[in-house]
Amino acid sequence: MEDSNIIDMLFRRDESALMEARRKYETYCRSIAHSILDNPEDEEECLNDLWLRVWNSIPPQHPQNLMAYLGKIARNLSLDKYRENHRQKRGGGAFELALEEMDFVISELNTVDGEYEYKELSAIIDSFIRTLPAGERRIFVHRYWYFRDISQIAKIEQLKPQRVTHILFKIRKALRNYLKKEGFIEYESR
């Protein structure tokens, strides 16, 4: 079934639209939840919350890309669940490692009273990502959107893990320089 038909059904409050969306996108959404949570019970809880959130948000929302819309909700729910589960403890999974890697880039962001304009920063990062060659862009998204580990990315992209690590390092360094150029990070005085 076409996404536009599923969205139309949701606007008509036809419950079978959820079954169609689930049939088409549950595996995709589950893979997002799994990359972040790696816990079947938590993943299932996030997926159940996902379908409720979709039912409650369409209408009034009218997503242009249903797959991206569902993926974003699944990711946000999974991140919320992860934070809830790990308030007191720290693990060593792909999610934590990806955050630690990005700390090199974002630790020196200029902030006003401890906050920065999230939308402006997001737009600048989106702009940076569009400058990357397609393969590097995919690797960046695998790591920092889906939180996949290096070995998964290497397998998907048919590269050696060391090559993926090198590419990610190069991208982080370029992103840091891009953020400096855009004024989000001050230049080091040397």
Side-chain angles (χ1 to χ4, degrees):
M1 179 176 284
E2 295 294 319
D3 289 357
S4 58
N5 294 344
I6 295 171
I7 293 169
D8 289 342
M9 291 167 66
L10 285 166
F11 267 85
R12 292 191 313 267
R13 307 313 289 162
D14 182 343
E15 291 181 21
S16 64
L18 289 178
M19 291 180 3
E20 290 297 328
R22 239 182 140 142
R23 182 187 57 74
K24 192 169 182 180
Y25 292 116
E26 182 153 358
T27 301
Y28 168 69
C29 293
R30 185 176 299 279
S31 73
I32 293 170
H34 178 74
S35 292
I36 296 169
L37 297 168
D38 196 22
N39 178 303
E41 293 82 18
D42 289 345
E43 294 162 21
E44 194 61 39
E45 180 180 336
C46 285
L47 288 175
N48 289 333
D49 290 348
L50 164 72
W51 304 119
L52 178 62
R53 179 94 39 107
V54 168
W55 182 256
N56 290 332
S57 67
I58 303 175
Q61 297 293 319
H62 195 287
Q64 297 300 311
N65 182 326
L66 185 59
M67 182 177 173
Y69 185 76
L70 296 174
K72 184 175 181 178
I73 293 172
R75 182 178 187 269
N76 289 340
L77 289 169
S78 298
L79 289 171
D80 289 346
K81 185 67 176 171
Y82 179 88
R83 286 183 197 106
E84 176 187 321
N85 290 346
H86 292 82
R87 282 193 184 116
Q88 299 296 323
K89 52 188 170 182
R90 180 115 171 132
F95 180 66
E96 294 91 352
L97 293 173
L99 292 179
E100 287 173 14
E101 290 168 6
M102 287 304 285
D103 188 51
F104 166 77
V105 175
I106 62 175
S107 64
E108 294 182 32
L109 284 176
N110 286 337
T111 60
V112 179
D113 296 326
E115 294 190 17
Y116 53 87
E117 291 294 325
Y118 175 77
K119 287 184 179 182
E120 186 178 349
L121 179 60
S122 292
I124 288 171
I125 292 173
D126 285 346
S127 175
F128 166 76
I129 292 169
R130 284 192 289 277
T131 69
L132 296 173
E136 290 181 11
R137 187 179 318 127
R138 284 192 313 272
I139 289 170
F140 184 90
V141 170
H142 283 306
R143 185 66 169 164
Y144 302 113
W145 176 261
Y146 294 113
F147 300 109
R148 292 194 170 108
D149 65 34
I150 300 296
S151 61
Q152 288 176 309
I153 299 168
K155 185 176 180 181
I156 292 167
E157 294 295 323
Q158 299 177 345
L159 297 169
K160 291 182 178 182
Q162 300 88 337
R163 180 73 180 136
V164 172
T165 301
H166 175 74
I167 290 169
L168 287 168
F169 175 78
K170 186 176 92 171
I171 293 170
R172 288 190 307 272
K173 188 174 178 182
L175 175 58
R176 183 175 168 80
N177 289 333
Y178 195 85
L179 290 170
K180 284 179 184 178
K181 184 180 124 202
E182 295 296 324
F184 272 88
I185 297 176
E186 291 182 13
Y187 287 92
E188 295 97 274
S189 54
R190 294 183 183 190

